[in-house]
Amino acid sequence: MRRTERIVKGFLGQAGIGVNGDSPWDIRVHDQRFYGRVLRDRSLGLGESYMEGWWDCDRLDQLFARLCAARLDETAARRPIPKFLDALLEHLQNRQSRSRAGEVAEKHYDLDNRMFLSWLDRHTQYSCGYFAGTDDLDEAQERKLDLICRKLSLSPGDEVLDVGCGWGGFCSFAAERYGCRVTGVNIAREQVEHAREACTDTGLDVAILRRDYRELSGTFDKIVSIGMFEHVGSKNHKTFMRSIGNCLRAGGMFLLHTIGTNVTATGCDAWIRKYIFPNGDVPSLAQIARAAEGIFVVEDVHNFGPHYDRTLMAWHERFEAAWPRLKKDYPEMFRRMWEYYLLSCAGAFRARALQVWQIVMTPMGTPQPECRLT
């Protein structure tokens, strides 16, 4: 057995993962170059070699749940220099500056509306659902939207701002179900065009603007941001909070829905950053609190991270069902990339390595609101 193979097998064995074994989370290696690739490039090499068909696994979600639960990224300090350099670059550069903010929109969110909408729910939610009392993705996403509306105590006539509005699902929901006047802002061209068409067709009081959060203007009773803060970056967290604060009326409320990490770090997983979310930077609760300090009072923090495991598994099931219609437009490597992305993230949430927080905030000096927080 070669040295690289022995090291990688020993490393995986710490998480109870075998190579060419019988367990559904075991790895089946098809190309011996896999071992050197993983030892050299770590998480990036693991993901790229899967995309290229060098290895397979019956249950990627279980594999990554075991990898994350074993916290092997903390014990594998064999190659600290690349991680140090990444942290240094994060410190020196603003990877989410105004000029670079559009990269994630161009490479991910503008990929193809037809592809995304083939497996998302009827409200086009590309964030964690709320599976309270249901096993159905459509119902879970509707319950998430209604939960947000109740936490914000939405009422008819409220002026609402949705920062990073995606395909306009929340905007339509709040306008239709709660009688609000909603403005959605987003920098992803394809999403903005779809949201405009969808809201125009329903005749709802919704305006969709292609605009960066640093360009916000106007005043609103309630503001929400769902699944967008992960693209803001730690250097811009305070700017984001100030932009929200400047647009929120006295006595208003702000709800932030975001993925979060347990420990403050820089950036995100190397494979995710390269292939899925360029310049992604998942915040810790400490980072969010520091950014809100002096601007907002934190009224409530609700963690329902395990619901993202179920959301991602449902997305994967729907993506696989849609693939026969999509494969004429995409290569097999694209399918493997999305399979790896959805199932590896499901495993990370299952292991509690990642969280989902809904944080309700009010401007300094605002009386504590009466609202449904769960």
Side-chain angles (χ1 to χ4, degrees), residues 6 8 26 28 37 92-93 98 111 128 137 151 164 180 188-189 217 227 254 304 328 354 362 364 371-372:
R6 184 175 66 253
V8 172
D26 286 342
R28 296 190 302 277
R37 182 88 167 267
L92 295 175
Q93 298 178 348
R98 194 180 302 235
L111 182 62
C128 181
L137 177 65
K151 286 182 177 182
C180 301
R189 185 184 303 277
S217 60
F254 169 47
F304 53 92
K328 63 181 176 57
L354 291 172
T362 56
M364 300 286 288
C371 58
R372 295 280 297 279

Side-chain angles (χ1 to χ4, degrees), residues 245-260:
N246 289 338
C247 291
L248 193 58
R249 288 193 175 103
M253 299 174 66
F254 169 47
L255 185 143
L256 178 68
H257 174 119
T258 183
I259 297 172

Side-chain angles (χ1 to χ4, degrees), residues 272-293:
I272 291 287
R273 173 174 273 183
K274 181 174 180 179
Y275 289 97
I276 307 299
F277 298 121
N279 305 319
D281 190 2
V282 180
S284 68
L285 201 56
Q287 288 175 308
I288 296 171
R290 282 195 297 269
E293 187 174 341

Side-chain angles (χ1 to χ4, degrees), residues 52-124:
E52 294 164 19
W54 290 12
W55 63 278
D56 278 299
C57 176
D58 291 336
R59 290 293 302 271
L60 282 172
D61 56 312
Q62 293 185 19
L63 167 68
F64 279 93
R66 286 176 170 266
L67 285 173
C68 293
R71 301 168 73 173
L72 297 184
D73 58 327
E74 298 177 14
T75 60
R78 299 181 183 276
R79 295 181 62 84
I81 298 301
K83 206 164 189 178
F84 168 77
L85 289 177
D86 191 63
L88 180 62
L89 286 173
E90 193 75 26
H91 177 73
L92 295 175
Q93 298 178 348
N94 185 351
R95 284 175 163 166
Q96 302 81 16
S97 65
R98 194 180 302 235
S99 62
R100 299 184 66 175
E103 290 181 25
V104 68
E106 294 169 5
K107 295 180 180 179
H108 188 80
Y109 293 104
D110 283 341
L111 182 62
D112 182 356
N113 282 338
R114 185 179 61 88
M115 192 280 293
F116 282 109
L117 300 183
S118 69
W119 48 270
L120 291 177
D121 66 291
R122 63 175 177 267
H123 293 294
T124 61

Side-chain angles (χ1 to χ4, degrees), residues 8 43 114 156 174 187 239 300 364:
V8 172
S43 68
R114 185 179 61 88
I187 61 172
T239 299
D300 182 73
M364 300 286 288

Side-chain angles (χ1 to χ4, degrees), residues 144-162:
K144 183 269 299 291
L145 293 173
D146 193 62
L147 178 67
I148 291 171
C149 292
R150 288 186 287 114
K151 286 182 177 182
L152 288 171
S153 295
L154 292 191
S155 58
D158 275 350
E159 295 275 3
V160 180
L161 174 65
D162 181 354

